[in-house]
Amino acid sequence: MTVQFSLGSNAPEAAATPVAVVGVYENGVLTSAAARIDTAAGGAIKRLVEAGDITGKIGNIVTLLHPAGVAAARVLVVGLGAQKTFDSARYQRVSLEAARAIGRLPVTEAASWLTEVDVPGRDAAWKLRVAALATDHAAYRYTATLKPRDKAQPELASVTFAGPADAEVGLEQARAIAEGVRFARELGNLPPNICNPNYIADQARAFADAHDGVSFEALDRADMEREGMGSLLAVARGSANEPRLVILQWNGGKDGERPYAFVGKGITFDTGGISIKPGPGMEEMKFDMGGAAGVLGAFVSAVKMKLPVNLVCVVPAVENMPDGNSYRPGDVLTSLAGITIEVLNTDAEGRLILCDALTYTGKRFDPHTMIDAATLTGACVVALGKHATGLMTKDESLSAELLSAGEDTLDRAWRLPLWDDYQSQLESGFADVANIGGKYAGAITAGCFLARFTEGRRWAHLDIAGTAWEEGRKGLATGRPVPLLAQWLLDRVAG
C-alpha cells in the first residue's frame, strides 16, 4: 500500500494527530516547530534536553506521549545533528529515520514539520518530495510470499507535511516516483520461481492495459530468432523459462518526436551458467533483474506524472541456467549487430543480452538518448561500494545531466572512464570481441563492450550492481535508479 501524502498548515501544537514529528539539533537547538510545542507543553522538550534524554544527535529519537497543552497524542522528537553542517544528505537521512520510528508505532497517520527545516540550496518542493519518498521507502513491506499475520500492527497510511501551497508539485512528483519505486522493489524482491521472464512481461502488459497512452508488446524466442538476436538467445538456451523482450511505449510527446529509451538487464536468476557461481549468496541472484525493474519503475513514474515526452522501455528478460543445451566458454556468438563474440565466461551474461537489446532499440526506435541500467559487474561494487551507481558514457553533456539528476534526488552516480585505452582488453583471436576483459577494470571493460554496440548514439550505461539491493539475508531491493531516471526526464521537460 502506497502511503498517501498531503500538505497541511496547522500550528504544530494545535494539530490533532496521532504523531507530530519535529526536530532538534545538537546542543539543544530547537527548530521553530519544536519550540512551539515546547512552549505549549510547558518546557517538556527542553527539560528532556537538559536531562540528556534528547541529545539532538542523528539517530536519537524520543517520543513524548500525550504532552500537556499539545493536541497531538504523541510528539516524535528527531535528532538532526549539528546545525552548521546540516545538508541534503542529512535531511534525507533524518526523514528516513523519522519514518522508520513512526512505523514502529501503532498508528496509521502522522504529521511532520521536518519539512520546515532549512536545507541549504533546496526549496520547499524539494524538501517535500524527499521527505515523502523517504517515508514511502520506510513504509514499504514485502508480503507477497509471507503468511498473513493474525494480528497485524496498523500500517502507516497517510502523512501530512507542513509546507506552502505552491510547493504541492513536490508531493505530486513524490506520489508518482514512489509508485515507480514500489513497482521496481516488488519485482526485485519476488522469488525467481515467480518473477521469471513471463511474469515480467505479464506485469508490463497489466500496466499498459490500465493506462491510456501506453502500448505493450513482447517478443518471444521465435521473434528474436527472426531478428537475429544470437547473443541474447545463447544466454537463454539453458533455461526451461522462455526468454522475452518486453517493450513498453509512452507517447506523451509530439507525434514524430524521437523518444528517449531506457533498456534494463532482466536476468531473472543468474546461476552463472556453465561458469557456475559459488553456492553461498547465490540466492541474491534473483536481484540480477534490478536493471529491468529500475527502468520499468522509471517508466511507471513517467506515465504517472504524464510527462510530455515519448518514452520507450525495453527489457530483455532471460534466465541464465546450466543445462545440456547451455552456451559454453569457447562458443562464438553472432549478435544482432553482426559483431561476433567469443564467450570466455558464461557468468558475463548481462552484456550479452544487453548488446542485442541496445542494437534492437537503436535500430527500431532511433531514440534521442538511450540509457541502460544493469546489475552488471561485481567490479563496480568493489570500486564504488553500495552508495554510488557507476556511470559510463562518452557524451559529456549526458554525463552532466545524469550526475545532476543523481545529486538532486540523492540517488547518486559516479562517472567512470570509458576510454578506448581499455578496448584492447576485449581483443579475441577467434571473434570480433571477447565477452570479458580480464581481472582489471572489470566494470569499465563491461561498459566498453556495450559501447561497441552503441556507436554513433547518445548513450549512457548505469552499473547498479552495488545500489540495486541491500546486503544480507533480509536485504530488500532499493528501487534505484528510479529516482535518478525520473528526475532526468523531469529535467528534459523543464529544459
Side-chain angles (χ1 to χ4, degrees), residues 342-357:
E342 182 186 12
V343 177
L344 297 181
N345 189 317
T346 64
D347 195 23
E349 84 300 328
R351 65 202 71 182
L352 297 178
I353 68 169
L354 281 172
C355 70
D356 278 352

Side-chain angles (χ1 to χ4, degrees), residues 388-429:
T389 288
L391 164 64
M392 282 162 264
T393 180
K394 291 185 177 182
D395 189 294
E396 296 297 325
S397 63
L398 181 55
S399 173
E401 291 167 9
L402 289 166
L403 291 172
S404 174
E407 289 295 331
D408 207 31
T409 56
L410 303 174
D411 180 7
R412 294 182 291 185
W414 189 260
R415 190 178 184 185
L416 297 172
L418 202 60
W419 303 332
D420 288 340
D421 308 55
Y422 294 97
Q423 287 287 359
S424 61
Q425 291 179 230
L426 295 168
E427 290 177 358
S428 164

Side-chain angles (χ1 to χ4, degrees), residues 257-296:
E257 196 170 53
R258 293 170 72 193
Y260 300 113
F262 294 155
V263 180
K265 173 187 169 185
I267 299 290
T268 58
F269 192 75
D270 181 23
T271 64
I274 298 300
S275 308
I276 197 162
K277 294 177 181 290
M282 195 192 287
E283 71 280 355
E284 292 189 349
M285 288 301 98
K286 70 175 186 178
F287 293 118
D288 209 19
M289 38 63 69
V295 298
L296 287 168

